[in-house]
């Protein structure tokens, strides 16, 4: 298949996909999952080897700049995923400290005064060498009571 034919084919398949109903998508995913898991060990090995070869070829076609850009974006996504996880944990701790039920709470991190630190280039370089925490811990000042 020539690149032009492949592009026309992919465009047509994309349009068909978007015309599907939600129920059709669910059924198609189930069929694909069943087919994927029903392969014998040899067929699964062949499939995995073929996919690995294609992925290696795709990476080898990238220029150095494209590869660096792709890796930078991957690291940024990983950083934001870690940050999101840490913020969720901080919100859960803060909600527990304020006796708020987490599943019923609509309280955000901002309402609970949980500071969020956006990653900088320095923190990304540091994160490659050592683990880091994206959420600062704050200590609330407790007024002293004279009795």
């Amino acid at each position: 298949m020539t690149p032009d034919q492949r592009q026309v084919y992919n465009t047509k398949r994309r349009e068909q996909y978007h015309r599907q109903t939600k129920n059709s998508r669910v059924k198609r995913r189930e069929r694909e999952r069943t087919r994927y898991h029903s392969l014998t060990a040899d067929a699964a090995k062949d499939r995995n080897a073929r996919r690995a070869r294609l992925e290696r070829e795709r990476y080898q076609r990238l220029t150095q700049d494209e590869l660096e850009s792709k890796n930078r974006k991957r690291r940024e996504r990983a950083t934001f995923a870690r940050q999101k996880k840490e913020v969720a944990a901080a919100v859960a701790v803060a909600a527990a400290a304020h006796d708020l039920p987490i599943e019923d709470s609509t309280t955000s991190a901002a309402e609970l005064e949980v500071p969020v630190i956006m990653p900088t280039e320095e923190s990304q370089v540091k994160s490659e060498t050592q683990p880091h925490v994206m959420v600062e811990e704050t200590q609330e000042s407790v007024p002293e009571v004279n009795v």
Side-chain angles (χ1 to χ4, degrees), residues 33-51:
R33 190 177 301 117
T34 302
R35 191 181 75 212
Y36 180 91
H37 290 294
S38 67
L39 292 175
T40 62
D42 292 338
K45 286 180 185 176
D46 291 343
R47 176 204 60 218
N48 292 341
R50 184 179 65 251
R51 288 181 176 177

Side-chain angles (χ1 to χ4, degrees), residues 76-130:
E76 287 172 358
R77 283 193 308 271
T79 300
F80 286 125
R82 272 194 308 273
Q83 179 182 357
K84 184 178 178 183
K85 187 175 179 182
E86 290 169 353
V87 167
V91 167
V93 167
H98 293 294
D99 294 329
L100 297 173
I102 295 171
E103 61 277 348
D104 296 337
S105 174
T106 57
T107 308
S108 68
E111 292 171 357
L112 294 176
E113 298 177 2
V114 177
V116 177
I117 301 173
M118 297 304 289
T120 62
E121 288 186 25
E122 286 181 10
S123 67
Q124 289 177 357
V125 171
K126 184 195 275 186
S127 68
E128 293 174 2
T129 59
Q130 60 184 340

Side-chain angles (χ1 to χ4, degrees), residues 22-37:
K22 182 178 180 186
N23 197 26
S24 298
R25 281 193 192 108
V26 168
K27 286 181 181 177
R28 181 179 46 77
R29 284 190 197 119
E30 288 173 358
R31 279 195 311 271
E32 289 173 353
R33 190 177 301 117
T34 302
R35 191 181 75 212
Y36 180 91
H37 290 294

